[in-house]
């Protein structure tokens, strides 16, 4: 036997003569079905190959960041924007009262339709307003307005030339202001006008704020906020706390930028106040997250989990606190890292061979079973034994 003949003996795929091959309708049907399955599985494998794989890692966070960005969009349908303030504080003792920069307040009617679009408040505008107020106070400094009984030499309260000075004097005295309109200084003050729309409008507060990257809290609560002896207080006069219906919808709340696969657990959630003077707490655990893309760029963001709690702060219940929507957050010491990776071409070829070979083998077995079953039935019919 020569070498070519020996080589032919190694053929693992012997062919039968064309004359001895039997082609059936059943075999044709199995071939069509198996071909469709093979093509479908191959396309699915190619799509999976082209989609980046996400590798997840968990390790101790050793990164340092100066600021934490908080994105929010919250609707309070029963309290006007003029009565609501957004404040933030952290464990370092820093407080941000009446946050307006990068925060918008959109007035809504009671049906949730916008009344007017908000105007962006810039830092320069705030400074300009402060300067104008100071200038106005300087021009009227020669006068000495009535403090309506709140003047005191011991407390350093002598004259009240503006509405804010009258309110401050009453605040220092810890007196309640039932009707600001009775003060001459407050006759043309905007604060008197805004009281008329306190509960006939709603408010949408949205935008973002930047805080220190440490544990802290922020809240939306009615009344003017201020700090007395390191105690954070909201002045809700002349209303009682039970008048505030703080039913709210959190349209969006996130920390940092959004990345693929990131979920925000309380987006589009609605919380209904069963009574007035409700205090809503959201306890948030923030997990720093790093997302590394295929092009080598790195995105820094945060994931979080949340636990909700609410209670009444009615004066009759004896509980301390004030009505509002409070968010307390703390940073996790662990970081999650997501890395985009691509599968190798060898992985694609291996799976493609498995798809074609496996489907072809299973189809061959099914075709053989179908063919021999039909032949057996036909023989029984020819012999008259089939019943």
């Amino acid at each position: 036997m020569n070498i070519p003949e020996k080589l032919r003996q190694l053929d693992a795929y012997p062919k039968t003569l064309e004359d001895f091959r039997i082609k059936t309708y059943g075999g044709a049907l199995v071939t069509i079905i198996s071909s469709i399955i093979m093509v479908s599985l191959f396309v699915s494998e190619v799509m999976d190959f082209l989609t980046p794989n996400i590798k997840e890692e968990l390790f101790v966070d050793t990164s340092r960041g100066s600021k934490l960005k908080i994105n929010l969009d919250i609707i309070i349908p029963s309290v006007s924007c003029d009565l609501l303030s957004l404040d933030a504080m952290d464990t370092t003792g820093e407080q941000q009262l009446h946050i307006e920069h990068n925060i918008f307040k959109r007035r809504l009617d009671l049906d949730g339709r916008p009344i007017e679009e908000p105007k962006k408040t810039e830092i320069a505008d705030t400074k300009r307003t402060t300067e104008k107020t100071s200038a106005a106070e300087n021009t009227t400094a020669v006068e000495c307005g009535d403090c309506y009984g709140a003047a005191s030499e011991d407390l350093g309260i002598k004259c009240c030339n503006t509405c804010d000075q009258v309110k401050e004097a009453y605040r220092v005295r810890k007196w309640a202001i039932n009707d600001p309109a009775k003060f001459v200084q407050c006759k043309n003050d905007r604060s008197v006008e805004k009281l008329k729309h306190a509960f006939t409008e709603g408010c949408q507060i949205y935008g973002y704020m930047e805080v220190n990257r440490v544990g802290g809290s922020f809240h939306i609560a009615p009344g003017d906020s201020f700090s007395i002896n390191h105690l954070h207080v909201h002045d809700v006069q002349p209303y009682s706390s039970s008048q505030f219906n703080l039913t709210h919808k959190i349209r969006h709340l996130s920390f940092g930028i959004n990345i693929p696969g990131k979920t925000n657990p309380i987006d589009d959630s609605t919380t209904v106040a069963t009574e007035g003077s409700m205090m809503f707490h959201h306890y948030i655990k923030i997990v720093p997250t790093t997302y590394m893309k295929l092009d080598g760029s790195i995105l820094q963001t945060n994931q979080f989990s949340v636990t909700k709690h609410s209670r009444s702060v009615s004066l009759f219940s004896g509980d301390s606190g004030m009505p509002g929507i409070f968010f307390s957050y703390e940073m996790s010491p662990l970081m999650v890292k997501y890395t985009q990776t691509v599968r190798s071409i060898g992985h694609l070829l291996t799976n493609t061979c498995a798809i074609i070979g496996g489907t072809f083998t299973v189809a061959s077995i099914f075709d053989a079973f179908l063919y021999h079953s039909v032949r057996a039935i036909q023989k029984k019919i020819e012999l008259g034994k089939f019943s």
Side-chain angles (χ1 to χ4, degrees):
M1 185 181 296
N2 53 19
I3 293 178
E5 191 65 27
K6 289 182 179 180
L7 183 61
R8 192 173 65 173
Q9 296 298 322
L10 298 176
D11 186 5
Y13 307 99
K15 286 76 178 175
T16 58
L17 295 176
E18 192 71 30
D19 295 339
F20 293 96
R21 293 182 180 179
I22 301 174
K23 296 185 177 181
T24 62
Y25 292 109
L29 183 61
V30 171
T31 301
I32 294 173
I33 295 175
S34 61
S35 298
I36 295 174
I37 293 175
M38 281 190 285
V39 171
S40 300
L41 293 177
F42 175 73
V43 172
S44 175
E45 184 64 29
V46 171
M47 294 297 294
D48 188 57
F49 171 75
L50 297 176
T51 302
N53 190 29
I54 302 295
K55 179 184 176 183
E56 184 176 348
E57 300 175 82
L58 185 66
F59 53 89
V60 176
D61 182 16
T62 58
S63 62
R64 294 292 180 267
S66 58
K67 292 296 181 180
L68 174 66
K69 184 179 180 181
I70 303 176
N71 310 292
L72 57 89
D73 186 353
I74 301 175
I75 293 178
I76 302 174
S78 302
V79 182
S80 70
C81 292
D82 291 328
L83 286 182
L84 297 173
S85 64
L86 174 63
D87 307 319
M89 55 205 70
D90 56 46
T91 54
T92 65
E94 181 177 332
Q95 295 187 12
Q96 300 182 51
L97 305 182
H98 298 287
I99 301 176
E100 294 181 343
H101 186 55
N102 295 321
I103 292 294
F104 300 88
K105 291 182 179 180
R106 177 183 283 130
R107 295 172 58 199
L108 307 174
D109 61 20
L110 295 179
D111 294 325
R113 294 186 295 265
I115 297 176
E116 65 179 8
E117 289 300 316
K119 297 180 180 179
K120 184 176 179 62
T121 302
E122 299 289 353
I123 294 179
D125 295 337
T126 305
K127 292 181 178 179
R128 200 175 297 117
T129 302
T130 304
E131 291 173 357
K132 289 181 179 179
T133 303
S134 301
E137 290 178 354
N138 292 333
T139 57
T140 57
V142 294
E143 301 178 3
C144 186
D146 187 8
C147 292
Y148 301 90
S152 172
E153 291 285 346
D154 297 335
L155 297 176
I157 305 173
K158 298 180 179 180
C159 301
C160 299
N161 298 326
T162 65
C163 185
D164 289 337
Q165 290 177 352
V166 177
K167 291 180 180 179
E168 182 62 26
Y170 269 66
R171 187 176 295 134
V172 172
R173 285 279 195 168
K174 298 181 180 179
W175 293 352
I177 302 176
N178 295 324
D179 185 12
K182 69 182 181 180
F183 304 139
V184 175
Q185 295 91 328
C186 296
K187 289 293 183 181
N188 299 320
D189 193 77
R190 186 173 177 272
S191 61
V192 177
E193 182 67 22
K194 71 182 183 181
L195 296 179
K196 300 178 182 179
H197 307 288
F199 306 114
T200 60
E201 295 180 1
C203 186
Q204 178 184 2
I205 301 176
Y206 66 97
Y208 72 90
M209 55 184 172
E210 293 184 341
V211 297
N212 293 325
R213 199 169 179 267
V214 295
S217 66
F218 63 95
H219 60 262
I220 298 173
D224 294 328
S225 59
F226 53 93
S227 182
I228 299 180
N229 298 327
H230 305 288
L231 180 65
H232 188 74
V233 181
H234 279 250
D235 180 12
V236 296
Q237 295 293 338
Y239 304 105
S240 65
S241 59
S242 60
Q243 291 180 266
F244 297 101
N245 178 7
L246 290 177
T247 295
H248 60 278
K249 178 180 181 180
I250 301 176
R251 299 182 62 189
H252 178 75
L253 178 66
S254 64
F255 299 83
I257 62 176
N258 289 316
I259 61 174
K262 178 185 174 185
T263 57
N264 302 309
I266 54 176
D267 280 6
D268 295 318
S269 62
T270 301
T271 304
V272 178
T274 56
E275 57 181 298
S277 187
M278 291 289 292
M279 192 174 188
F280 299 96
H281 277 284
H282 299 81
Y283 298 98
I284 298 172
K285 188 76 171 183
I286 300 176
V287 181
T289 304
T290 299
Y291 190 81
M292 182 174 291
K293 303 179 70 174
L294 289 175
D295 58 6
S297 60
I298 299 177
L299 304 177
Q300 300 286 352
T301 185
N302 301 276
Q303 301 181 88
F304 67 96
S305 61
V306 62
T307 302
K308 300 180 182 180
H309 176 68
S310 62
R311 64 184 178 92
S312 173
V313 290
S314 172
L315 296 177
F316 300 103
S317 65
D319 294 332
S320 60
M322 60 183 180
I325 308 166
F326 295 81
F327 300 87
S328 301
Y329 57 89
E330 60 179 10
M331 306 297 296
S332 171
L334 299 179
M335 171 178 280
V336 178
K337 182 180 180 181
Y338 294 106
T339 306
Q340 280 188 338
T341 59
V342 293
R343 296 177 176 84
S344 64
I345 190 67
H347 180 83
L348 174 63
L349 295 177
T350 301
N351 284 4
T352 301
C353 292
I355 290 171
I356 297 174
T359 306
F360 183 79
T361 302
V362 172
S364 299
I365 294 173
F366 182 75
D367 178 63
F369 172 76
L370 182 64
Y371 174 73
H372 290 294
S373 298
V374 172
R375 285 290 302 275
I377 293 173
Q378 288 177 345
K379 284 185 178 181
K380 287 186 178 182
I381 291 175
E382 292 175 356
L383 298 174
K385 296 181 179 181
F386 183 76
S387 59

